Amino acid sequence: MQLIVLRYQDAIVKSQEIPNEVSLVIYISGCPFRCKGCKTPKLQENQGEELTKEVVNMFLDSLGDDITCIIFMGGDIAPDEVNELAGHVRKYYPYLKIGWYSGDETISVFTEYQNFDYLKFGPYIKKLGDLKSPKTNQRLYRVEGEYLRDITKSLR
Ligand code: SF4
């Protein structure tokens, strides 16, 4: 099996993605989807610096308690690698919440929930809008054991 290297293009601290959390959002390259109206088409290109555990450590060590959460934005090109990074964060930074914003349709591609506190699914469909739109197809879940609680409305 060929190992896919995750790459990232930006890492920004934001407070809008998850309610009541200040998150380091890491924008991962190589998105395999082609949503019409995509707001970040550069993420469809597989370019940028390699996203390793050491890079994640560097970000988290420098931010300390300025953040309460880390979000992997994308990474559908290699969900197993995203899961591995999340597991690393869970082990070495247990005080942080962990989120994954996937562009995939369903949750069936990914069953290992314990490494995540928040999961977002659904591609961007322009006429339905993003997570803040009342018509959106996208869903944000809080992981509660094996149960996923839909908290999409809390973003509006
Ligand atoms: S999943 Fe996100 S980054 Fe990928 S094409 Fe769709 S809107 Fe763009």
Side-chain angles (χ1 to χ4, degrees), residues 30-67:
C31 177
F33 304 114
R34 296 293 178 265
C35 308
K36 282 186 183 161
C38 170
K39 293 176 185 169
T40 48
K42 69 176 184 173
L43 292 183
Q44 296 173 17
E45 298 161 21
N46 195 12
Q47 60 182 24
E49 299 296 318
E50 201 171 324
L51 184 60
T52 61
K53 291 173 183 168
E54 290 72 27
V55 169
V56 169
N57 292 350
M58 180 195 70
F59 283 130
L60 297 184
D61 291 344
S62 67
L63 287 165
D65 57 11
D66 288 349
I67 58 168

PDB file of all heavy atoms in Angstrom, residues 30-67:
ATOM      1  N   GLY A  30      -4.691  18.665  -1.016  1.00  0.00           N
ATOM      2  CA  GLY A  30      -4.997  17.450  -1.757  1.00  0.00           C
ATOM      3  C   GLY A  30      -6.430  16.999  -1.639  1.00  0.00           C
ATOM      4  O   GLY A  30      -6.724  15.804  -1.751  1.00  0.00           O
ATOM      5  N   CYS A  31      -7.372  17.928  -1.422  1.00  0.00           N
ATOM      6  CA  CYS A  31      -8.780  17.536  -1.315  1.00  0.00           C
ATOM      7  C   CYS A  31      -9.208  16.788  -2.585  1.00  0.00           C
ATOM      8  O   CYS A  31      -9.040  17.301  -3.693  1.00  0.00           O
ATOM      9  CB  CYS A  31      -9.660  18.765  -1.115  1.00  0.00           C
ATOM     10  SG  CYS A  31     -11.414  18.326  -1.079  1.00  0.00           S
ATOM     11  N   PRO A  32      -9.772  15.580  -2.449  1.00  0.00           N
ATOM     12  CA  PRO A  32     -10.150  14.795  -3.630  1.00  0.00           C
ATOM     13  C   PRO A  32     -11.499  15.209  -4.211  1.00  0.00           C
ATOM     14  O   PRO A  32     -11.906  14.693  -5.248  1.00  0.00           O
ATOM     15  CB  PRO A  32     -10.214  13.368  -3.087  1.00  0.00           C
ATOM     16  CG  PRO A  32     -10.594  13.539  -1.651  1.00  0.00           C
ATOM     17  CD  PRO A  32      -9.984  14.841  -1.198  1.00  0.00           C
ATOM     18  N   PHE A  33     -12.206  16.111  -3.524  1.00  0.00           N
ATOM     19  CA  PHE A  33     -13.540  16.497  -3.996  1.00  0.00           C
ATOM     20  C   PHE A  33     -13.442  17.715  -4.917  1.00  0.00           C
ATOM     21  O   PHE A  33     -12.448  18.436  -4.929  1.00  0.00           O
ATOM     22  CB  PHE A  33     -14.451  16.781  -2.810  1.00  0.00           C
ATOM     23  CG  PHE A  33     -14.538  15.617  -1.867  1.00  0.00           C
ATOM     24  CD1 PHE A  33     -14.028  15.696  -0.580  1.00  0.00           C
ATOM     25  CD2 PHE A  33     -15.098  14.423  -2.277  1.00  0.00           C
ATOM     26  CE1 PHE A  33     -14.084  14.608   0.280  1.00  0.00           C
ATOM     27  CE2 PHE A  33     -15.156  13.327  -1.426  1.00  0.00           C
ATOM     28  CZ  PHE A  33     -14.645  13.427  -0.140  1.00  0.00           C
ATOM     29  N   ARG A  34     -14.473  17.932  -5.663  1.00  0.00           N
ATOM     30  CA  ARG A  34     -14.503  19.070  -6.595  1.00  0.00           C
ATOM     31  C   ARG A  34     -15.850  19.777  -6.450  1.00  0.00           C
ATOM     32  O   ARG A  34     -16.634  19.866  -7.410  1.00  0.00           O
ATOM     33  CB  ARG A  34     -14.291  18.584  -8.049  1.00  0.00           C
ATOM     34  CG  ARG A  34     -12.940  17.950  -8.300  1.00  0.00           C
ATOM     35  CD  ARG A  34     -11.804  18.975  -8.195  1.00  0.00           C
ATOM     36  NE  ARG A  34     -10.491  18.381  -8.387  1.00  0.00           N
ATOM     37  CZ  ARG A  34      -9.697  17.959  -7.403  1.00  0.00           C
ATOM     38  NH1 ARG A  34     -10.087  18.046  -6.143  1.00  0.00           N
ATOM     39  NH2 ARG A  34      -8.513  17.464  -7.667  1.00  0.00           N
ATOM     40  N   CYS A  35     -16.136  20.275  -5.261  1.00  0.00           N
ATOM     41  CA  CYS A  35     -17.412  20.941  -5.021  1.00  0.00           C
ATOM     42  C   CYS A  35     -17.508  22.194  -5.888  1.00  0.00           C
ATOM     43  O   CYS A  35     -16.568  23.001  -5.899  1.00  0.00           O
ATOM     44  CB  CYS A  35     -17.528  21.340  -3.558  1.00  0.00           C
ATOM     45  SG  CYS A  35     -17.230  20.013  -2.379  1.00  0.00           S
ATOM     46  N   LYS A  36     -18.646  22.353  -6.574  1.00  0.00           N
ATOM     47  CA  LYS A  36     -18.844  23.579  -7.354  1.00  0.00           C
ATOM     48  C   LYS A  36     -18.970  24.741  -6.381  1.00  0.00           C
ATOM     49  O   LYS A  36     -19.727  24.662  -5.419  1.00  0.00           O
ATOM     50  CB  LYS A  36     -20.104  23.470  -8.209  1.00  0.00           C
ATOM     51  CG  LYS A  36     -19.885  22.635  -9.438  1.00  0.00           C
ATOM     52  CD  LYS A  36     -21.103  22.657 -10.340  1.00  0.00           C
ATOM     53  CE  LYS A  36     -20.862  21.742 -11.518  1.00  0.00           C
ATOM     54  NZ  LYS A  36     -22.090  21.356 -12.203  1.00  0.00           N
ATOM     55  N   GLY A  37     -18.243  25.829  -6.643  1.00  0.00           N
ATOM     56  CA  GLY A  37     -18.302  26.983  -5.760  1.00  0.00           C
ATOM     57  C   GLY A  37     -17.379  26.868  -4.564  1.00  0.00           C
ATOM     58  O   GLY A  37     -17.483  27.644  -3.614  1.00  0.00           O
ATOM     59  N   CYS A  38     -16.481  25.888  -4.579  1.00  0.00           N
ATOM     60  CA  CYS A  38     -15.514  25.699  -3.490  1.00  0.00           C
ATOM     61  C   CYS A  38     -14.846  27.025  -3.145  1.00  0.00           C
ATOM     62  O   CYS A  38     -14.367  27.737  -4.018  1.00  0.00           O
ATOM     63  CB  CYS A  38     -14.459  24.684  -3.935  1.00  0.00           C
ATOM     64  SG  CYS A  38     -13.059  24.566  -2.819  1.00  0.00           S
ATOM     65  N   LYS A  39     -14.856  27.360  -1.836  1.00  0.00           N
ATOM     66  CA  LYS A  39     -14.281  28.633  -1.415  1.00  0.00           C
ATOM     67  C   LYS A  39     -12.771  28.554  -1.234  1.00  0.00           C
ATOM     68  O   LYS A  39     -12.112  29.582  -1.077  1.00  0.00           O
ATOM     69  CB  LYS A  39     -14.936  29.084  -0.102  1.00  0.00           C
ATOM     70  CG  LYS A  39     -16.401  29.449  -0.254  1.00  0.00           C
ATOM     71  CD  LYS A  39     -16.986  29.796   1.109  1.00  0.00           C
ATOM     72  CE  LYS A  39     -18.480  30.052   1.001  1.00  0.00           C
ATOM     73  NZ  LYS A  39     -19.123  30.132   2.313  1.00  0.00           N
ATOM     74  N   THR A  40     -12.225  27.356  -1.191  1.00  0.00           N
ATOM     75  CA  THR A  40     -10.778  27.211  -1.006  1.00  0.00           C
ATOM     76  C   THR A  40     -10.202  26.236  -2.033  1.00  0.00           C
ATOM     77  O   THR A  40      -9.673  25.184  -1.682  1.00  0.00           O
ATOM     78  CB  THR A  40     -10.456  26.722   0.420  1.00  0.00           C
ATOM     79  OG1 THR A  40     -11.305  25.601   0.720  1.00  0.00           O
ATOM     80  CG2 THR A  40     -10.638  27.812   1.450  1.00  0.00           C
ATOM     81  N   PRO A  41     -10.319  26.585  -3.329  1.00  0.00           N
ATOM     82  CA  PRO A  41      -9.883  25.650  -4.379  1.00  0.00           C
ATOM     83  C   PRO A  41      -8.399  25.302  -4.303  1.00  0.00           C
ATOM     84  O   PRO A  41      -7.998  24.234  -4.780  1.00  0.00           O
ATOM     85  CB  PRO A  41     -10.215  26.382  -5.684  1.00  0.00           C
ATOM     86  CG  PRO A  41     -10.426  27.807  -5.304  1.00  0.00           C
ATOM     87  CD  PRO A  41     -10.877  27.820  -3.891  1.00  0.00           C
ATOM     88  N   LYS A  42      -7.605  26.144  -3.666  1.00  0.00           N
ATOM     89  CA  LYS A  42      -6.172  25.810  -3.606  1.00  0.00           C
ATOM     90  C   LYS A  42      -5.932  24.543  -2.777  1.00  0.00           C
ATOM     91  O   LYS A  42      -4.911  23.878  -2.924  1.00  0.00           O
ATOM     92  CB  LYS A  42      -5.355  26.982  -3.069  1.00  0.00           C
ATOM     93  CG  LYS A  42      -5.548  27.308  -1.620  1.00  0.00           C
ATOM     94  CD  LYS A  42      -4.594  28.419  -1.202  1.00  0.00           C
ATOM     95  CE  LYS A  42      -4.726  28.676   0.302  1.00  0.00           C
ATOM     96  NZ  LYS A  42      -3.739  29.604   0.816  1.00  0.00           N
ATOM     97  N   LEU A  43      -6.923  24.196  -1.919  1.00  0.00           N
ATOM     98  CA  LEU A  43      -6.771  22.960  -1.141  1.00  0.00           C
ATOM     99  C   LEU A  43      -6.940  21.714  -1.999  1.00  0.00           C
ATOM    100  O   LEU A  43      -6.652  20.606  -1.561  1.00  0.00           O
ATOM    101  CB  LEU A  43      -7.769  22.924   0.020  1.00  0.00           C
ATOM    102  CG  LEU A  43      -7.534  23.931   1.135  1.00  0.00           C
ATOM    103  CD1 LEU A  43      -8.546  23.741   2.248  1.00  0.00           C
ATOM    104  CD2 LEU A  43      -6.114  23.817   1.701  1.00  0.00           C
ATOM    105  N   GLN A  44      -7.428  21.887  -3.228  1.00  0.00           N
ATOM    106  CA  GLN A  44      -7.531  20.737  -4.130  1.00  0.00           C
ATOM    107  C   GLN A  44      -6.166  20.353  -4.698  1.00  0.00           C
ATOM    108  O   GLN A  44      -5.995  19.273  -5.247  1.00  0.00           O
ATOM    109  CB  GLN A  44      -8.502  21.050  -5.267  1.00  0.00           C
ATOM    110  CG  GLN A  44      -9.930  21.276  -4.786  1.00  0.00           C
ATOM    111  CD  GLN A  44     -10.855  21.746  -5.889  1.00  0.00           C
ATOM    112  OE1 GLN A  44     -10.546  21.615  -7.063  1.00  0.00           O
ATOM    113  NE2 GLN A  44     -11.981  22.308  -5.516  1.00  0.00           N
ATOM    114  N   GLU A  45      -5.196  21.257  -4.578  1.00  0.00           N
ATOM    115  CA  GLU A  45      -3.836  20.959  -5.059  1.00  0.00           C
ATOM    116  C   GLU A  45      -3.057  20.302  -3.926  1.00  0.00           C
ATOM    117  O   GLU A  45      -3.164  20.716  -2.783  1.00  0.00           O
ATOM    118  CB  GLU A  45      -3.143  22.252  -5.490  1.00  0.00           C
ATOM    119  CG  GLU A  45      -3.845  22.951  -6.631  1.00  0.00           C
ATOM    120  CD  GLU A  45      -3.444  24.413  -6.723  1.00  0.00           C
ATOM    121  OE1 GLU A  45      -2.371  24.771  -6.181  1.00  0.00           O
ATOM    122  OE2 GLU A  45      -4.207  25.191  -7.296  1.00  0.00           O
ATOM    123  N   ASN A  46      -2.280  19.277  -4.287  1.00  0.00           N
ATOM    124  CA  ASN A  46      -1.507  18.583  -3.250  1.00  0.00           C
ATOM    125  C   ASN A  46      -0.148  19.247  -3.095  1.00  0.00           C
ATOM    126  O   ASN A  46       0.856  18.773  -3.609  1.00  0.00           O
ATOM    127  CB  ASN A  46      -1.362  17.095  -3.587  1.00  0.00           C
ATOM    128  CG  ASN A  46      -0.906  16.304  -2.380  1.00  0.00           C
ATOM    129  OD1 ASN A  46      -0.917  16.821  -1.262  1.00  0.00           O
ATOM    130  ND2 ASN A  46      -0.499  15.077  -2.598  1.00  0.00           N
ATOM    131  N   GLN A  47      -0.152  20.370  -2.410  1.00  0.00           N
ATOM    132  CA  GLN A  47       1.091  21.105  -2.233  1.00  0.00           C
ATOM    133  C   GLN A  47       1.161  21.651  -0.814  1.00  0.00           C
ATOM    134  O   GLN A  47       0.179  21.653  -0.087  1.00  0.00           O
ATOM    135  CB  GLN A  47       1.192  22.250  -3.231  1.00  0.00           C
ATOM    136  CG  GLN A  47       0.058  23.246  -3.084  1.00  0.00           C
ATOM    137  CD  GLN A  47       0.152  24.358  -4.123  1.00  0.00           C
ATOM    138  OE1 GLN A  47       0.745  24.178  -5.176  1.00  0.00           O
ATOM    139  NE2 GLN A  47      -0.428  25.490  -3.821  1.00  0.00           N
ATOM    140  N   GLY A  48       2.332  22.133  -0.439  1.00  0.00           N
ATOM    141  CA  GLY A  48       2.522  22.666   0.908  1.00  0.00           C
ATOM    142  C   GLY A  48       3.520  21.842   1.683  1.00  0.00           C
ATOM    143  O   GLY A  48       4.094  20.873   1.182  1.00  0.00           O
ATOM    144  N   GLU A  49       3.697  22.239   2.933  1.00  0.00           N
ATOM    145  CA  GLU A  49       4.651  21.548   3.801  1.00  0.00           C
ATOM    146  C   GLU A  49       4.050  20.239   4.295  1.00  0.00           C
ATOM    147  O   GLU A  49       2.839  20.121   4.465  1.00  0.00           O
ATOM    148  CB  GLU A  49       4.988  22.431   5.011  1.00  0.00           C
ATOM    149  CG  GLU A  49       5.626  23.757   4.657  1.00  0.00           C
ATOM    150  CD  GLU A  49       6.984  23.576   3.995  1.00  0.00           C
ATOM    151  OE1 GLU A  49       7.766  22.726   4.454  1.00  0.00           O
ATOM    152  OE2 GLU A  49       7.239  24.277   3.003  1.00  0.00           O
ATOM    153  N   GLU A  50       4.920  19.288   4.573  1.00  0.00           N
ATOM    154  CA  GLU A  50       4.472  18.009   5.079  1.00  0.00           C
ATOM    155  C   GLU A  50       3.882  18.180   6.487  1.00  0.00           C
ATOM    156  O   GLU A  50       4.447  18.921   7.306  1.00  0.00           O
ATOM    157  CB  GLU A  50       5.668  17.047   5.121  1.00  0.00           C
ATOM    158  CG  GLU A  50       5.265  15.608   5.150  1.00  0.00           C
ATOM    159  CD  GLU A  50       6.469  14.684   4.976  1.00  0.00           C
ATOM    160  OE1 GLU A  50       7.397  15.028   4.219  1.00  0.00           O
ATOM    161  OE2 GLU A  50       6.452  13.630   5.631  1.00  0.00           O
ATOM    162  N   LEU A  51       2.761  17.522   6.742  1.00  0.00           N
ATOM    163  CA  LEU A  51       2.125  17.599   8.054  1.00  0.00           C
ATOM    164  C   LEU A  51       2.474  16.329   8.837  1.00  0.00           C
ATOM    165  O   LEU A  51       1.872  15.272   8.649  1.00  0.00           O
ATOM    166  CB  LEU A  51       0.609  17.744   7.918  1.00  0.00           C
ATOM    167  CG  LEU A  51      -0.149  17.923   9.229  1.00  0.00           C
ATOM    168  CD1 LEU A  51       0.303  19.173   9.978  1.00  0.00           C
ATOM    169  CD2 LEU A  51      -1.653  17.976   8.977  1.00  0.00           C
ATOM    170  N   THR A  52       3.469  16.461   9.697  1.00  0.00           N
ATOM    171  CA  THR A  52       3.934  15.327  10.497  1.00  0.00           C
ATOM    172  C   THR A  52       3.545  15.536  11.959  1.00  0.00           C
ATOM    173  O   THR A  52       3.099  16.618  12.357  1.00  0.00           O
ATOM    174  CB  THR A  52       5.469  15.231  10.422  1.00  0.00           C
ATOM    175  OG1 THR A  52       6.008  16.450  10.968  1.00  0.00           O
ATOM    176  CG2 THR A  52       5.942  15.063   8.985  1.00  0.00           C
ATOM    177  N   LYS A  53       3.761  14.513  12.763  1.00  0.00           N
ATOM    178  CA  LYS A  53       3.522  14.644  14.212  1.00  0.00           C
ATOM    179  C   LYS A  53       4.422  15.734  14.790  1.00  0.00           C
ATOM    180  O   LYS A  53       4.013  16.479  15.684  1.00  0.00           O
ATOM    181  CB  LYS A  53       3.789  13.312  14.901  1.00  0.00           C
ATOM    182  CG  LYS A  53       2.762  12.253  14.563  1.00  0.00           C
ATOM    183  CD  LYS A  53       3.150  10.905  15.130  1.00  0.00           C
ATOM    184  CE  LYS A  53       2.127   9.859  14.691  1.00  0.00           C
ATOM    185  NZ  LYS A  53       2.554   8.497  14.948  1.00  0.00           N
ATOM    186  N   GLU A  54       5.645  15.837  14.282  1.00  0.00           N
ATOM    187  CA  GLU A  54       6.573  16.852  14.799  1.00  0.00           C
ATOM    188  C   GLU A  54       6.058  18.263  14.488  1.00  0.00           C
ATOM    189  O   GLU A  54       6.193  19.174  15.317  1.00  0.00           O
ATOM    190  CB  GLU A  54       7.973  16.656  14.179  1.00  0.00           C
ATOM    191  CG  GLU A  54       8.699  15.420  14.650  1.00  0.00           C
ATOM    192  CD  GLU A  54       8.119  14.120  14.104  1.00  0.00           C
ATOM    193  OE1 GLU A  54       7.511  14.130  13.003  1.00  0.00           O
ATOM    194  OE2 GLU A  54       8.258  13.075  14.793  1.00  0.00           O
ATOM    195  N   VAL A  55       5.483  18.445  13.313  1.00  0.00           N
ATOM    196  CA  VAL A  55       4.929  19.760  12.959  1.00  0.00           C
ATOM    197  C   VAL A  55       3.742  20.090  13.867  1.00  0.00           C
ATOM    198  O   VAL A  55       3.609  21.208  14.369  1.00  0.00           O
ATOM    199  CB  VAL A  55       4.508  19.786  11.468  1.00  0.00           C
ATOM    200  CG1 VAL A  55       3.689  21.034  11.157  1.00  0.00           C
ATOM    201  CG2 VAL A  55       5.734  19.714  10.577  1.00  0.00           C
ATOM    202  N   VAL A  56       2.898  19.104  14.097  1.00  0.00           N
ATOM    203  CA  VAL A  56       1.759  19.314  14.994  1.00  0.00           C
ATOM    204  C   VAL A  56       2.267  19.675  16.392  1.00  0.00           C
ATOM    205  O   VAL A  56       1.774  20.619  17.031  1.00  0.00           O
ATOM    206  CB  VAL A  56       0.862  18.051  15.032  1.00  0.00           C
ATOM    207  CG1 VAL A  56      -0.173  18.152  16.149  1.00  0.00           C
ATOM    208  CG2 VAL A  56       0.179  17.846  13.685  1.00  0.00           C
ATOM    209  N   ASN A  57       3.275  18.958  16.868  1.00  0.00           N
ATOM    210  CA  ASN A  57       3.858  19.274  18.189  1.00  0.00           C
ATOM    211  C   ASN A  57       4.358  20.704  18.222  1.00  0.00           C
ATOM    212  O   ASN A  57       4.158  21.423  19.215  1.00  0.00           O
ATOM    213  CB  ASN A  57       5.052  18.360  18.488  1.00  0.00           C
ATOM    214  CG  ASN A  57       4.643  16.923  18.706  1.00  0.00           C
ATOM    215  OD1 ASN A  57       3.460  16.621  18.815  1.00  0.00           O
ATOM    216  ND2 ASN A  57       5.622  16.042  18.778  1.00  0.00           N
ATOM    217  N   MET A  58       5.023  21.124  17.158  1.00  0.00           N
ATOM    218  CA  MET A  58       5.597  22.477  17.124  1.00  0.00           C
ATOM    219  C   MET A  58       4.480  23.520  17.285  1.00  0.00           C
ATOM    220  O   MET A  58       4.599  24.448  18.082  1.00  0.00           O
ATOM    221  CB  MET A  58       6.330  22.676  15.794  1.00  0.00           C
ATOM    222  CG  MET A  58       6.974  24.022  15.626  1.00  0.00           C
ATOM    223  SD  MET A  58       7.399  24.281  13.904  1.00  0.00           S
ATOM    224  CE  MET A  58       5.796  24.467  13.130  1.00  0.00           C
ATOM    225  N   PHE A  59       3.386  23.335  16.547  1.00  0.00           N
ATOM    226  CA  PHE A  59       2.260  24.280  16.663  1.00  0.00           C
ATOM    227  C   PHE A  59       1.689  24.261  18.078  1.00  0.00           C
ATOM    228  O   PHE A  59       1.487  25.308  18.698  1.00  0.00           O
ATOM    229  CB  PHE A  59       1.148  23.917  15.688  1.00  0.00           C
ATOM    230  CG  PHE A  59       1.414  24.316  14.261  1.00  0.00           C
ATOM    231  CD1 PHE A  59       1.252  23.406  13.240  1.00  0.00           C
ATOM    232  CD2 PHE A  59       1.796  25.608  13.951  1.00  0.00           C
ATOM    233  CE1 PHE A  59       1.493  23.764  11.921  1.00  0.00           C
ATOM    234  CE2 PHE A  59       2.037  25.980  12.635  1.00  0.00           C
ATOM    235  CZ  PHE A  59       1.885  25.053  11.623  1.00  0.00           C
ATOM    236  N   LEU A  60       1.420  23.076  18.580  1.00  0.00           N
ATOM    237  CA  LEU A  60       0.724  22.977  19.870  1.00  0.00           C
ATOM    238  C   LEU A  60       1.612  23.442  21.015  1.00  0.00           C
ATOM    239  O   LEU A  60       1.136  24.092  21.952  1.00  0.00           O
ATOM    240  CB  LEU A  60       0.240  21.537  20.086  1.00  0.00           C
ATOM    241  CG  LEU A  60      -0.785  21.053  19.052  1.00  0.00           C
ATOM    242  CD1 LEU A  60      -1.267  19.655  19.404  1.00  0.00           C
ATOM    243  CD2 LEU A  60      -1.966  22.006  18.942  1.00  0.00           C
ATOM    244  N   ASP A  61       2.905  23.155  20.947  1.00  0.00           N
ATOM    245  CA  ASP A  61       3.814  23.604  22.007  1.00  0.00           C
ATOM    246  C   ASP A  61       3.927  25.124  22.012  1.00  0.00           C
ATOM    247  O   ASP A  61       4.032  25.749  23.063  1.00  0.00           O
ATOM    248  CB  ASP A  61       5.199  22.966  21.831  1.00  0.00           C
ATOM    249  CG  ASP A  61       5.171  21.475  22.098  1.00  0.00           C
ATOM    250  OD1 ASP A  61       4.193  20.997  22.703  1.00  0.00           O
ATOM    251  OD2 ASP A  61       6.116  20.786  21.673  1.00  0.00           O
ATOM    252  N   SER A  62       3.908  25.729  20.834  1.00  0.00           N
ATOM    253  CA  SER A  62       4.053  27.188  20.781  1.00  0.00           C
ATOM    254  C   SER A  62       2.752  27.891  21.208  1.00  0.00           C
ATOM    255  O   SER A  62       2.794  28.980  21.755  1.00  0.00           O
ATOM    256  CB  SER A  62       4.484  27.647  19.390  1.00  0.00           C
ATOM    257  OG  SER A  62       3.458  27.404  18.470  1.00  0.00           O
ATOM    258  N   LEU A  63       1.605  27.258  21.010  1.00  0.00           N
ATOM    259  CA  LEU A  63       0.332  27.905  21.359  1.00  0.00           C
ATOM    260  C   LEU A  63      -0.071  27.663  22.811  1.00  0.00           C
ATOM    261  O   LEU A  63      -0.773  28.489  23.405  1.00  0.00           O
ATOM    262  CB  LEU A  63      -0.776  27.411  20.429  1.00  0.00           C
ATOM    263  CG  LEU A  63      -0.686  27.961  19.011  1.00  0.00           C
ATOM    264  CD1 LEU A  63      -1.572  27.156  18.070  1.00  0.00           C
ATOM    265  CD2 LEU A  63      -1.078  29.433  18.978  1.00  0.00           C
ATOM    266  N   GLY A  64       0.367  26.558  23.384  1.00  0.00           N
ATOM    267  CA  GLY A  64       0.050  26.273  24.789  1.00  0.00           C
ATOM    268  C   GLY A  64      -1.442  26.368  25.058  1.00  0.00           C
ATOM    269  O   GLY A  64      -2.266  25.850  24.289  1.00  0.00           O
ATOM    270  N   ASP A  65      -1.811  27.057  26.148  1.00  0.00           N
ATOM    271  CA  ASP A  65      -3.241  27.118  26.485  1.00  0.00           C
ATOM    272  C   ASP A  65      -3.956  28.305  25.824  1.00  0.00           C
ATOM    273  O   ASP A  65      -5.040  28.692  26.255  1.00  0.00           O
ATOM    274  CB  ASP A  65      -3.468  27.102  28.000  1.00  0.00           C
ATOM    275  CG  ASP A  65      -2.737  28.231  28.697  1.00  0.00           C
ATOM    276  OD1 ASP A  65      -2.232  29.135  27.999  1.00  0.00           O
ATOM    277  OD2 ASP A  65      -2.680  28.213  29.938  1.00  0.00           O
ATOM    278  N   ASP A  66      -3.366  28.852  24.777  1.00  0.00           N
ATOM    279  CA  ASP A  66      -4.092  29.852  23.970  1.00  0.00           C
ATOM    280  C   ASP A  66      -5.215  29.198  23.164  1.00  0.00           C
ATOM    281  O   ASP A  66      -6.099  29.892  22.659  1.00  0.00           O
ATOM    282  CB  ASP A  66      -3.148  30.551  22.973  1.00  0.00           C
ATOM    283  CG  ASP A  66      -2.207  31.507  23.680  1.00  0.00           C
ATOM    284  OD1 ASP A  66      -2.430  31.778  24.878  1.00  0.00           O
ATOM    285  OD2 ASP A  66      -1.246  31.966  23.039  1.00  0.00           O
ATOM    286  N   ILE A  67      -5.140  27.887  22.989  1.00  0.00           N
ATOM    287  CA  ILE A  67      -6.188  27.185  22.237  1.00  0.00           C
ATOM    288  C   ILE A  67      -6.793  26.085  23.104  1.00  0.00           C
ATOM    289  O   ILE A  67      -6.181  25.626  24.068  1.00  0.00           O
ATOM    290  CB  ILE A  67      -5.656  26.565  20.923  1.00  0.00           C
ATOM    291  CG1 ILE A  67      -4.501  25.594  21.209  1.00  0.00           C
ATOM    292  CG2 ILE A  67      -5.242  27.641  19.938  1.00  0.00           C
ATOM    293  CD1 ILE A  67      -4.122  24.749  20.020  1.00  0.00           C
TER     294      ILE A  67
END
